Amino acid sequence: LGCCDTKNRKTPYRLENPEIIASETVFSVSEVEALYELYKKISSAVVDDGLINKEEFQLALFKTNKKESIFAERVFNLFDTKNNGVLDFGEFARALSIFHPDAPLNEKIDFSFRLYDLKQQGYIGREEVKHMMLATLAESGMNLSDEVIENIIDKTFEEADTKHDGRIDKDEWESLVLQHPSLLKNMTLQYLRDITTTFPSFVFYSQVEDT
Amino acid sequence: TKPVTMNAFELISRSQGLNLSNLFEK
C-alpha cells in the first residue's frame, strides 16, 4: 500500500479514506461516498484514469469541451491544490465542501476572493474586474458599451474600494459581500445537501458501516 | 441611501463558468 511503490502505479485510483475527508469537511461519510459517485462519472468522461482533468471539468460544467472559460479555468486551478493539473477525489471533495450550504461563510468569502483575484496578487484590480466583466458579457451575448462598463466599474470601486487605492483587498471584499450577500449566491450549491439521494448507489460501494 | 446600481461583481457572478450546479446536472 506504500504510496511510492512503483509496482502499484497502474493500480486504479483508490478512494481516499472517506472518514478522513468527512472529518476535514462538512460532509458526512455517506455524503463523501455519494460525492464519489459524481466524481467517478466526471473523471471517466474523457480518460478513465480516476482523475479529473481540465477537459473533463469543462465538459461537466458546460456539457461541451469546446467552450473555454476563464472562470472554469480559475475554479479548476483553485480546486487543484496540489497544482498538478488534475483533481483527485480528495481535492474535489474538499473544494466542494466550501460550496455546501452549511460551510462557514468565511470560507466562501475567501474562496470567492481568490476566484476573482485572477492574477493572484492578493487584491482584485480594476483591470481584472473589467476582464471578468467582458468575459461574462461575451458569454451571455450581452452587449454593453465601453462607457457603460467603465461606469459600472467606477461605481463598484466607489463602493468597494474604501481605502481608495484602486484595489479591492480581502477586507474590502469581505465588507462588500456582507453588504451584498447575493454576490456569494454561486458559492452555495443546494445540490450538496441532497447528494446521498441524488447518488443513492453509493450504498453498494460503501466501505463503512452505518452508525 | 445609495442609488441602486448594478455592481460589477453581480454581473460577473452570473457567469456560467461560476455556476457549479451544472456539475450535478446530467
Side-chain angles (χ1 to χ4, degrees):
Chain A
L1 284 175
C3 74
C4 306
D5 184 351
T6 48
K7 280 187 207 160
N8 285 340
R9 281 275 165 82
K10 285 186 179 169
T11 308
Y13 174 77
R14 286 189 72 233
L15 173 60
E16 189 181 336
N17 187 337
E19 289 175 82
I20 293 177
I21 296 176
S23 73
E24 295 173 10
T25 62
V26 298
F27 297 119
S28 66
V29 176
S30 294
E31 286 170 334
V32 170
E33 291 181 326
L35 199 57
Y36 186 59
E37 296 303 302
L38 170 68
Y39 177 83
K40 275 197 293 189
K41 202 178 87 180
I42 299 173
S43 66
S44 60
V46 180
V47 190
D48 195 2
D49 58 354
L51 295 162
I52 298 177
N53 62 33
K54 209 169 271 182
E55 190 186 352
E56 287 166 331
F57 190 73
Q58 299 227 0
L59 194 61
L61 265 187
F62 304 120
K63 313 301 164 207
T64 164
N65 51 6
K66 297 216 169 69
K67 191 161 177 162
E68 284 194 14
S69 159
I70 55 162
F71 299 110
E73 172 121 11
R74 187 79 192 112
V75 172
F76 183 90
N77 291 338
L78 283 175
F79 274 42
D80 181 16
T81 50
K82 291 179 186 141
N83 211 15
N84 59 355
V86 284
L87 307 181
D88 62 35
F89 179 62
E91 289 172 315
F92 184 73
R94 286 178 179 87
L96 277 184
S97 172
I98 300 169
F99 291 80
H100 193 283
D102 297 337
L105 184 65
N106 67 321
E107 285 186 17
K108 293 178 190 288
I109 294 173
D110 180 65
F111 191 95
S112 62
F113 179 74
R114 289 190 291 139
L115 194 57
Y116 295 144
D117 176 15
L118 283 184
K119 292 186 194 163
Q120 299 166 69
Q121 299 175 112
Y123 62 86
I124 304 168
R126 206 188 150 92
E127 271 177 45
E128 284 166 299
V129 175
K130 185 161 185 179
H131 187 55
M132 291 186 282
M133 272 187 81
L134 290 173
T136 308
L137 291 169
E139 202 179 71
S140 60
M142 217 161 119
N143 212 349
L144 291 182
S145 70
D146 195 58
E147 196 189 338
V148 171
I149 293 170
E150 288 289 338
N151 196 264
I152 293 171
I153 299 173
D154 282 344
K155 291 269 170 13
T156 303
F157 271 75
E158 258 171 48
E159 185 184 3
D161 178 22
T162 49
K163 291 171 194 155
H164 308 291
D165 58 1
R167 300 167 171 191
I168 299 169
D169 64 23
K170 180 78 188 296
D171 291 341
E172 290 168 334
W173 176 249
E174 192 175 339
S175 306
L176 184 73
V177 297
L178 291 177
Q179 288 282 320
H180 300 276
S182 67
L183 296 183
L184 290 180
K185 218 169 139 192
N186 56 5
M187 287 302 306
T188 294
L189 299 168
Q190 293 299 332
Y191 286 85
L192 290 172
R193 207 185 278 293
D194 308 318
I195 192 83
T196 53
T197 43
T198 312
F199 297 97
S201 59
F202 81 91
V203 295
F204 300 118
Y205 309 102
S206 183
Q207 293 174 12
V208 291
E209 287 178 34
D210 285 341
T211 49
Chain B
T1 52
K2 289 183 177 181
V4 178
T5 48
M6 167 70 101
N7 183 301
F9 294 106
E10 257 165 51
L11 185 113
I12 294 165
S13 67
R14 291 179 197 174
S15 162
Q16 205 191 340
L18 294 174
N19 187 1
L20 297 195
S21 61
N22 291 337
L23 291 177
F24 300 83
E25 271 154 32
K26 289 175 185 164

